[in-house]
Amino acid sequence: MGSGVSLQKADGSPSLSLTIHIKRTKDPLGIMSNLTLLQQDCAVLRNIWPDKFPTAESCCSGYAGCSDTRVTSIGMFYDAGKTVDNSFPNIASLTGLTSIDLRNNGYTSIADNVFANMTELVRLEVEGNKFGGIPIPSSISNLPNLQRLNLFGAGVGGEIPRSLEKLTKLREFFIHGNTFNGTIPSWISNLKDLRILCVMVILIIAIQTRD
């Protein structure tokens, strides 16, 4: 797109004519798209917890942390982040999260696929909720960078799924205080980075089973 500009002498006669070309470009650095992602993340938080995030400016302080482009952490526990229907909040679209701490909020249900696309997640804390014996959400197995998984007393049950073997970076695994079937699965020994494994209740069940 061009725009013409003419310069004139004092007597009104033309002396120079310029054509300025304005070129419309896309956003090569992704700045606008990144801003949009952060705004979208904040809108999700405000929709779920309007009392904790009353304004756009409150999104990245207190209960949540942000990078320049995404919401990266959530930390609310002991009823501070309880949802209206007592279900685990629908945060599936917050795919930039690296840390989730939603302990002791009394959540009674959780969607199986809620963590499906959170490939950056390093820390997941859902201790002390009341999931009523449901299986461990299968989407946890899709977290390749997860290093800490805290399910202590979360109310999960059934069998410990072998799909968790895919968590090759897992270092801390807390699953005590739940009602699981069977013994400690042997595949846990394949988690080579594991440093802390807390399975006290399951260990008692395993000993009784061997008797």
Side-chain angles (χ1 to χ4, degrees), residues 24-51:
R24 298 183 182 276
T25 62
K26 294 183 178 180
D27 182 20
L29 299 179
I31 296 173
M32 294 305 297
S33 60
N34 286 336
L35 180 61
T36 301
L37 286 174
L38 181 56
Q39 290 175 333
Q40 290 174 350
D41 287 353
C42 290
V44 171
L45 295 182
R46 294 182 65 191
N47 182 60
I48 298 173
W49 297 292
D51 57 329

Side-chain angles (χ1 to χ4, degrees), residues 16-201:
L16 180 64
S17 179
L18 299 176
T19 300
I20 302 173
H21 293 276
I22 302 174
K23 184 178 180 181
R24 298 183 182 276
T25 62
K26 294 183 178 180
D27 182 20
L29 299 179
I31 296 173
M32 294 305 297
S33 60
N34 286 336
L35 180 61
T36 301
L37 286 174
L38 181 56
Q39 290 175 333
Q40 290 174 350
D41 287 353
C42 290
V44 171
L45 295 182
R46 294 182 65 191
N47 182 60
I48 298 173
W49 297 292
D51 57 329
K52 302 298 183 297
F53 305 101
T55 65
E57 291 74 18
S58 64
C59 172
C60 299
S61 62
Y63 298 101
C66 305
S67 67
D68 292 338
T69 58
R70 300 298 303 265
V71 170
T72 57
S73 65
I74 301 174
M76 285 180 283
F77 38 91
Y78 294 104
D79 293 334
K82 186 173 289 186
T83 55
V84 174
D85 61 356
N86 235 29
S87 62
F88 191 87
N90 183 11
I91 55 174
S93 63
L94 302 179
T95 55
L97 286 173
T98 61
S99 176
I100 297 173
D101 189 350
L102 292 172
R103 292 173 286 165
N104 298 290
N105 285 309
Y107 298 132
T108 56
S109 63
I110 184 170
D112 188 63
N113 64 346
V114 67
F115 307 112
N117 297 310
M118 298 183 184
T119 55
E120 302 301 317
L121 197 64
V122 174
R123 174 189 177 212
L124 176 57
E125 310 262 2
V126 292
E127 168 190 329
N129 285 294
K130 302 176 181 178
F131 293 135
I134 63 172
I136 294 175
S138 62
S139 56
I140 290 179
S141 302
N142 298 326
L143 304 175
N145 290 301
L146 195 66
Q147 296 182 22
R148 178 180 171 91
L149 175 56
N150 183 5
L151 300 172
F152 166 49
V156 290
E159 295 185 356
I160 302 173
R162 178 152 195 162
S163 58
L164 296 180
E165 186 179 11
K166 295 190 295 183
L167 303 178
T168 56
K169 294 185 179 181
L170 195 65
R171 298 178 61 85
E172 302 175 11
F173 191 14
F174 301 88
I175 47 177
H176 55 305
N178 296 291
T179 305
F180 290 106
N181 300 330
T183 61
I184 303 171
S186 60
W187 56 259
I188 286 183
S189 63
N190 296 331
L191 300 174
K192 302 303 183 184
D193 285 350
L194 197 62
R195 297 295 179 267
I196 299 175
L197 174 62
C198 197
V199 291
M200 290 184 296
V201 174

